[in-house]
Every structure is written in C-alpha cells, then in structure tokens.
Amino acid sequence: MLSWLRWRIWALSFVFWTIYAVLDSVGSLAILSAYGDKLVFHEVILWNFAEAYAWVLFAPLIYTVALRFPLNRRLWKQSLTIQIPVGLLIAALAAWLLIHMNMLLGWAETSTPFRARLLGLTLQDLPRYFVTMGVAQIVVYYATVRKQEAQSAELEAKLAQAQLDVLRSQMEPHFLFNSLNAIARLTRKDPPSAERMTFQLAAFLRGTLECAGSREVPLSQELEFLQNYLAIQKTRFGDRLTIDVAVEKSLLSIPVPSLILQPLAENAIRHGIAHSAGPGYLKVSAARDSGSLRIQIADNGAGVDIKRDKGSEGFGLRNTRARLKQMYGDRQELRLENNPGGGCLVTIALPLDNATMPV
C-alpha cells in the first residue's frame, strides 16, 4: 500500500505541477509581451517546467515526511516543528539544482552572490513544499479512509456471519432434542419405527454437517434436507401425514438460506397437524413471483389466531425471521396467515438476484 501511495502522490504531483508550469509560462509570456520585453519563448518554458519538475522529483520524499508527521488535529503542532525545517531543506535543494542548471545554461546572474540567490529562491519556492505536502496529505487521508471503510465492512460481514452461526447453532439442538424425544416415545410402543427414525435422524444430521459453513445452498439441497426431516415425521405419524412437494426443476439451482424450511415445517406439524384428530396434510411449493422466489408451506391443521399470536411467535418462526433479516435486510418477507382452505400458510419471499446483504 505504501508503494502504491508513493506512485499515486508522484503521479498527482506530476499532473499538478505540469498544469502549474503551463499556466505560469502563459502568464510570464503575457507579462513580457505587455511590457514590450524581448520574448525568449524556450527560456521561459524551460525555466518554469524545470522549477515545477524539481518539486515532482522530491514528491516521494515529501510523502514520507507527510506519513511520518501528519498535519492532523492531534499532531499538527509537533509536525510543524519537523515540517518547516524539512521544507526549508528541500526548498534549498531544489533551489540549488535550479541555480546550477542556470549556470550550465549560462543564465546565471554573476552580479548576485550565490548565497543570496540560493536564499532568495529557497524562500520564494518554500510555498511549493507545502502545496506538495497538501497533495500528499489529501492522498494519505483518503487512502486511510478507504482502508478504514474496508475494515469496517469486513468487520460487519464477520459480525453478520457470527450472528447467523449463532442462529443456526440454536436451531440444530432445538430440532435434535425434539427428534430424540419423538424417538424415545416410539421406542416402547414401536421399536422398528424408532430404529428407522434414528437412521433418518442420522442422515439428516450428516446433511447439516456437509453445509455447516454455508450460508446458502441450492434449493434442491435444502429440499433434500427437508425431505429427510419429513421422513422422520412420516415415520412418527404414519398414514396420518401426507406430504406433497411441488417445485419446478428450473428453480432447484437457486440459492436459499440453509436449513430455512425445516423449522417452518416443524412449526406446521407441531402446532397444526399434531393437534388435529384427522389426517394431516403438508404441502411445500415454490415459484417465481415478480423478481422474487416465493416458497410456501401449507398445512390443514387448526390454523392460527393472528391477533392473539401477533408478537408471541414460537422459537422456530422468530429464529427464521431473524436469519432472513440478517441475510437480506428489507428485501425479504416472511408472512404467516390462515389458509383459505383451512390450516396455516407460511410464505417466504427471497430476492432472486442472489445478493445476500448483512444489515
């Protein structure tokens, strides 16, 4: 970064002093012409550009000083005690180079002592040092701001990922405990089903480990996780539970948050179908809708009292809302409503541009 900044400051100094030399030359020629003095075009151009580029030559050194002794609110007094002597030294070196160039070209004023010419040109060009220093300070300032913004964005991304990891780590034990309780209840009355559910649970957990570091997975993989979970519930409820998954093949490659559907399906089964005496029905569907992916989970359970349940959602629903908000900000939606045909309908809308965005 330091090397890049040195070249950036050198390039900006070159452009600035070139423009300055052009304007200075035009002004000098205009004044000489107005007073009727003899125009020596090449001498005016050579002198102004040589004087300007002498400061381009010292730009990397001035950058180093600017970096070590910045003129900010906290350190400007201490920095000035260094900057002024350094500025005088660099101005004297630039003046020395220019005077010797004059001597080589035969332009030197022999009537004026060398020391007087050196002192006069040094003081005359000292403001050039602070102009170059100003350019260096601006470049350093904006480079520092960009670096801080990049670090801040990286920290926010890491924080968002940490929060998502916490939410996921809460979901997995929650599901695991519920499944183990169901297996325990089946162990006495239906050992073969308990054994089958144990293997199904192991398959599901293997799937969660495979995507442990993934924020998003293809919809096909998420549906596979969901079907592993639903297989467990199918073993538990038997013929009482009918499952229907209707998703177009063209949608299967779309990325969705990992393990986002299972808690919603669990919520539908636990709070809807499990409390119903009749056969249970669960339908999972997905479709495109105005630039969004709309996923719906519908059941034929008891439905939900929207007014009573508002603000008192269960753990799975609250956790899912939090994950969606963390990943997509306001570009997502999770809606809970009663199904017109009876039961409950949960709808998730996700942006189709695949650009997850920490808040």
Side-chain angles (χ1 to χ4, degrees), residues 10-323:
W10 185 89
L12 288 174
S13 298
F14 181 84
V15 172
F16 175 84
W17 287 117
T18 298
I19 295 172
Y20 184 92
V22 170
L23 296 176
D24 199 12
S25 298
V26 172
S28 299
L29 292 171
I31 291 173
L32 291 173
S33 178
Y35 282 94
D37 293 342
K38 183 180 179 181
L39 296 178
V40 185
F41 182 79
H42 72 278
E43 292 183 1
V44 172
I45 296 295
L46 182 59
W47 169 259
N48 286 325
F49 274 84
E51 190 175 25
Y53 288 153
W55 289 95
V56 176
L57 181 66
F58 288 107
L61 176 59
I62 294 174
Y63 160 75
T64 302
V65 176
L67 195 64
R68 289 286 302 275
F69 306 100
L71 294 174
N72 53 34
R73 290 183 179 181
R74 187 169 57 91
L75 299 172
W76 69 271
K77 290 182 180 179
Q78 299 92 316
S79 295
L80 275 179
T81 60
I82 303 297
Q83 296 267 19
I84 292 175
V86 170
L88 286 169
L89 177 61
I90 293 177
L93 288 172
W96 185 86
L97 287 174
L98 290 170
I99 291 172
H100 278 76
M101 183 196 75
N102 281 352
M103 293 171 64
L104 290 173
L105 294 174
W107 297 351
E109 299 179 18
T110 56
S111 60
T112 305
F114 176 80
R115 290 183 180 179
R117 281 182 288 157
L118 181 64
L119 179 60
L121 192 56
T122 297
L123 296 177
Q124 176 185 324
D125 283 356
L126 182 60
R128 293 174 181 261
Y129 168 81
F130 288 101
V131 170
T132 308
M133 175 61 65
V135 173
Q137 291 285 166
I138 291 171
V139 174
V140 170
Y141 172 76
Y142 280 106
T144 302
V145 169
R146 284 198 299 269
K147 182 179 179 181
Q148 290 174 346
E149 289 176 348
Q151 290 175 340
S152 177
E154 184 180 357
L155 288 174
E156 288 180 5
K158 288 181 178 179
L159 176 60
Q161 185 60 51
Q163 291 171 339
L164 287 171
D165 290 342
V166 169
L167 291 172
R168 280 192 52 181
S169 68
Q170 291 173 343
M171 286 303 307
E172 289 164 7
H174 181 262
F175 161 71
L176 179 60
F177 295 150
N178 290 338
S179 298
L180 291 175
N181 286 334
I183 291 172
R185 287 193 296 270
L186 283 174
T187 300
R188 293 182 180 178
K189 62 179 183 180
D190 190 354
S193 294
E195 182 181 9
R196 186 165 63 254
M197 186 181 288
T198 301
F199 288 121
Q200 291 165 342
L201 177 60
F204 180 85
L205 293 178
R206 276 196 301 271
T208 63
L209 291 175
E210 289 175 0
C211 70
S214 303
R215 294 177 63 183
E216 293 178 313
V217 296
L219 179 58
S220 58
Q221 188 174 347
E222 179 63 16
L223 289 174
E224 184 180 346
F225 293 153
L226 178 63
Q227 287 169 341
N228 285 335
Y229 166 76
L230 293 176
I232 295 172
Q233 297 301 332
K234 183 70 176 173
T235 299
R236 175 186 171 192
F237 287 96
D239 294 336
R240 280 190 58 206
L241 179 61
T242 300
I243 299 168
D244 181 17
V245 178
V247 178
E248 296 179 12
K249 290 184 178 181
S250 61
L251 304 177
L252 295 178
S253 62
I254 295 176
V256 298
S258 60
L259 297 178
I260 201 72
L261 298 181
Q262 180 271 326
L264 300 179
E266 181 179 6
N267 192 69
I269 292 172
R270 289 186 63 203
H271 300 290
I273 296 173
H275 294 290
S276 177
Y281 177 76
L282 184 74
K283 181 177 181 179
V284 181
S285 61
R288 295 178 187 270
D289 182 22
S290 301
S292 297
L293 174 65
R294 188 184 72 249
I295 303 174
Q296 293 185 320
I297 297 180
D299 66 71
N300 66 338
V304 60
D305 187 337
I306 302 296
K307 293 182 178 180
R308 185 194 67 187
D309 293 344
K310 188 177 181 179
S312 59
E313 295 176 346
F315 171 82
L317 207 55
R318 287 198 314 271
N319 189 290
T320 302
R321 282 193 193 278
R323 289 186 64 198

